[in-house]
Amino acid sequence: MGKPNSKRFRLSQMRQQRARALGGEYVEIEDDDGNVLVQIPRMAFWDAETYEDVVETGVAVRDLATLERIMEPAEFAKLKALKLQLGDMRDLLLEVMKDVKRPESQGSSTP
């Protein structure tokens, strides 16, 4: 029996809520016909070890190096084949790194 007023986390439920709030676990790049070419995992879904390696220790400090570290090799190869422009890369990384806003950090909409 749990302690009264203790908070418990159900990982599957938390992950579903996070995916809904962010628009999915992946940022998808598609062609003009709507076919998905590449899926890049959002930062909120990286495993903690990868996050620590990439963000905390700076193992990968360049944009492509970061994406190579977090993506499956076949997906990364597809991404490189797209020959992205610098603006493309920055837009993608902004979306990949976007995090769910916490209600307490958003401020109140009531006076």
Side-chain angles (χ1 to χ4, degrees):
M1 183 174 191
K3 295 179 185 176
N5 299 323
S6 67
K7 183 158 187 152
R8 293 186 179 184
F9 294 97
R10 181 169 290 152
L11 290 177
S12 61
Q13 188 176 43
M14 287 174 27
R15 290 172 181 168
Q16 287 175 351
Q17 290 172 347
R18 189 178 328 120
R20 272 194 306 274
L22 289 170
E25 291 184 34
Y26 297 93
V27 174
E28 297 179 335
I29 300 174
E30 61 181 39
D31 63 16
D32 291 336
D33 295 325
N35 301 308
V36 175
L37 302 173
V38 178
Q39 289 186 320
I40 305 169
R42 293 183 184 277
M43 185 172 69
F45 293 94
W46 299 357
D47 65 77
E49 184 178 327
T50 299
Y51 175 84
E52 194 170 299
D53 284 350
V54 171
V55 178
E56 302 277 325
T57 64
V59 167
V61 293
R62 295 171 295 132
D63 295 343
L64 277 175
T66 299
L67 293 179
E68 184 174 24
R69 175 72 172 90
I70 64 166
M71 294 175 73
E72 295 294 326
E75 286 295 300
F76 183 71
K78 291 182 214 175
L79 179 71
K80 280 190 74 172
L82 294 176
K83 304 286 186 200
L84 298 175
Q85 298 174 347
L86 179 59
D88 302 333
M89 181 63 67
R90 288 186 176 163
D91 290 343
L92 278 171
L93 284 173
L94 281 174
E95 188 64 25
V96 166
M97 302 294 186
K98 185 169 72 172
D99 200 1
V100 177
K101 300 285 186 210
R102 302 281 180 234
E104 61 273 10
S105 68
Q106 292 181 359
S108 174
S109 60
T110 58

